Amino acid sequence: MIMDSIVLQSNSIMQNSTNQELIACHECDALQRVGRLPPGCVAHCICCGGRLYSNPKGGLDTPLALSISTLILFLVANVYPLMTLNVAGQSKDTTLTGAAWAFYQAHMPELAAVVWLTSVVTPALIICSNLYILACLRFRLRLPGVRTLLVWVTRLQPWGMMDVFMLGILVSLVKLSGMAEVKLGAGLYAFIALIFFFTASAARFEPHLLWQRLGARK
Amino acid sequence: MNCRAYRAAEQGLMACHVCGLLVQARPGHHLHCPRCSSALHFRKPNSLTRTWALLLTAMLMYIPAMGLPVMQTSAFGSIQGDTIMSGVIYFLKGGDWPLALVIFVASVMVPILKMLALIYLLISVQRQSRLRHRQRTVLYRITEIMGRWSMVDVFVIAIMAALVQMGNLAQITPGLGAVAFASVVILTMFSALSFDPRLIWDHQEQLEHHE
């Protein structure tokens, strides 16, 4: 996908035009007017080059469809075991939550909480909130909590670490394959697909445009 | 590199930290965003103090994170503790250098580079540096994005400890170093989040006004 950067710089802040929006860059505070973005384009700051916002192709339908697939894959990835280890006739498998549980059993509840929150709870909250927000806007439903959820999704974003967990799985697969037989489970295949769908749906979820649609509180 | 654009704060406009809406400031009023209800500020409150406090704590925790074993492997009655560095060396000796590199970069380099980057950003802002605004903003952006990848070692320990539970045959239990390491990652993430990159540019705009 080719992303063009379109930024319109105005000489004076007083200048006004109907379809241009005044934005301050969140990284350098530079004021600039940005015209309506064509689908598939990203606007970057004139001053620091930071990303202002994008207008993803597919409107609300594409992220909504991707969010539903993401939720289904998330459920599969969490229910079925990721992998099974076989050593001398004994076998042991683990799910995502099982990995966090290992810390709890080793008397480290704080670490268990960190792992569980970053790999299961936060992603679940982000996926469900995205779905709820998109469905409410797409079907013009007047349900409560859309704004609150959008605020929290923005704040939680850095703490969802499924992609980092994926790298962790790869590293431990290499580590374990040296000492025992490892079988990949259904959960792992779902988890790999989940990473792709989650990333794709997150890339098409643009809070800036969603806030524009919501507008000021009445 | 200087930029001639007007800045929101100069014009008395506050950009909401959460939804980006521009709101006219009113002196003496604590405003909330009319769109998302978040509290409004020109800059993140006490940004430098908070960033320093979290960063110094993270630096302190880095010592036990590297020194204490992150996991204990017991096999056939013998117990062996592994620190993060001994894990890297283990893979290097075994000829598995791509894996050694991944662990070394994610667990050793990224936290150190991240802490150094934050120290540089904090000091340059406090000394009101007028140099390389754009490069420093890019440095902050990279720091913010890279930080979470250090958690990979904590996840590896979790998966290993969950799977290798074979009683006397082989058993892996997480060590105290893992707690210290996870706290380094989380503290540096909070530290980067409480830094306000707009402070890098604030001094430039004052100067242009005096000139």
Side-chain angles (χ1 to χ4, degrees):
Chain A
M1 198 190 315
I2 302 161
M3 295 263 191
D4 299 315
S5 150
I6 293 186
V7 171
L8 303 168
Q9 183 181 5
S10 66
N11 295 322
S12 160
I13 168 173
M14 306 308 287
Q15 183 187 6
N16 206 347
S17 145
T18 43
N19 57 358
Q20 288 192 357
E21 186 198 0
L22 189 64
I23 295 183
C25 172
H26 66 284
E27 282 179 337
C28 72
D29 216 23
L31 281 173
Q32 47 215 298
R33 290 194 182 277
V34 183
R36 199 172 275 274
L37 287 182
C41 289
V42 189
H44 288 276
C45 173
I46 38 161
C47 215
C48 71
R51 193 187 129 104
L52 294 173
Y53 71 95
S54 69
N55 184 10
K57 284 178 186 168
L60 290 176
D61 287 340
T62 316
L64 188 58
L66 285 167
S67 295
I68 296 169
S69 329
T70 309
L71 182 62
I72 296 167
L73 285 167
F74 181 83
L75 294 174
V76 177
N78 273 279
V79 169
Y80 291 98
L82 293 171
M83 45 195 171
T84 313
L85 186 73
N86 286 315
V87 181
Q90 290 188 58
S91 71
K92 177 87 174 74
D93 59 17
T94 186
T95 56
L96 274 165
T97 305
W101 189 249
F103 278 128
Y104 187 78
Q105 283 182 321
H107 309 292
M108 296 180 183
E110 58 286 280
L111 260 189
V114 166
V115 173
W116 198 55
L117 286 173
T118 52
S119 63
V120 180
V121 179
T122 307
L125 287 175
I126 292 176
I127 294 168
C128 293
S129 310
N130 285 3
L131 197 55
Y132 184 82
I133 295 162
L134 288 167
C136 284
L137 286 171
R138 171 68 181 78
F139 301 110
R140 297 176 196 283
L141 303 170
R142 294 201 173 186
L143 295 175
V146 175
R147 284 162 203 271
T148 317
L149 282 177
L150 197 46
V151 170
W152 279 101
V153 164
T154 314
R155 293 206 170 135
L156 283 175
Q157 216 70 56
W159 302 100
M161 300 195 191
M162 288 200 299
D163 41 359
V164 184
F165 198 96
M166 186 68 232
L167 183 64
I169 291 176
L170 292 179
V171 171
S172 32
L173 272 179
V174 180
K175 276 192 171 189
L176 289 167
S177 62
M179 52 195 255
E181 187 201 351
V182 188
K183 271 193 190 144
L184 308 183
L188 185 60
Y189 295 111
F191 193 67
I192 294 168
L194 170 63
I195 304 293
F196 283 104
F197 275 81
F198 183 72
T199 314
S201 73
R204 283 166 183 76
F205 186 89
E206 179 52 62
H208 183 88
L209 297 180
L210 299 176
W211 281 118
Q212 268 185 347
R213 273 174 188 266
L214 283 168
R217 220 178 265 268
K218 274 150 210 154
Chain B
M1 184 185 149
N2 281 333
C3 178
R4 290 278 162 195
Y6 284 90
R7 288 176 202 282
E10 276 182 321
Q11 305 294 325
L13 292 170
M14 298 190 283
C16 174
H17 295 305
V18 176
C19 76
L21 186 71
L22 284 170
V23 181
Q24 189 74 47
R26 276 186 294 165
H29 282 79
H30 287 289
L31 293 180
H32 286 266
C33 176
R35 199 158 66 173
C36 72
S37 310
S38 309
L40 290 168
H41 312 277
F42 280 112
R43 298 290 178 262
K44 291 177 189 170
N46 303 320
S47 173
L48 295 180
T49 319
R50 282 187 195 179
T51 312
W52 268 123
L54 291 161
L55 181 62
L56 290 174
T57 322
M59 285 161 73
L60 274 180
M61 292 306 283
Y62 193 72
I63 301 164
M66 287 293 127
L68 292 174
V70 289
M71 62 183 181
Q72 267 134 9
T73 314
S74 56
F76 307 108
S78 70
I79 296 175
Q80 188 200 338
D82 273 314
T83 62
I84 285 174
M85 274 315 286
S86 73
V88 174
I89 292 163
Y90 171 82
F91 283 113
L92 262 186
K93 278 183 181 164
D96 220 338
W97 67 265
L99 196 63
L101 194 69
V102 167
I103 302 176
F104 183 73
V105 168
S107 321
V108 184
M109 291 244 304
V110 169
I112 287 188
L113 288 177
K114 196 176 168 179
M115 288 189 270
L116 288 176
L118 281 170
I119 292 173
Y120 167 64
L121 288 172
L122 283 165
I123 291 178
S124 72
V125 165
Q126 281 174 332
R127 297 191 52 168
Q128 308 194 321
S129 163
R130 284 186 289 146
L131 298 167
R132 296 184 284 274
H133 296 101
R134 197 174 170 141
Q135 286 89 329
R136 279 189 281 149
T137 311
V138 173
L139 180 67
Y140 173 71
R141 214 174 289 153
I142 297 168
T143 309
E144 207 187 4
I145 296 167
M146 285 303 289
R148 47 206 291 286
W149 288 94
S150 303
M151 274 301 262
V152 69
D153 232 10
V154 178
F155 293 144
V156 170
I157 297 161
I159 297 166
M160 300 283 284
L163 281 176
V164 187
Q165 294 291 339
M166 307 293 170
N168 292 333
L169 209 58
Q171 181 106 14
I172 289 181
T173 42
L176 265 182
V179 181
F181 188 78
S183 73
V184 170
V185 181
I186 291 168
L187 284 165
T188 49
M189 276 179 75
F190 272 119
S191 175
L193 285 172
S194 48
F195 183 79
D196 195 328
R198 290 171 291 192
L199 295 172
I200 297 171
W201 298 79
D202 276 352
H203 187 61
Q204 181 212 336
E205 111 206 358
Q206 289 166 6
L207 254 144
E208 277 178 13
H209 268 260
H210 291 301
E211 273 164 10

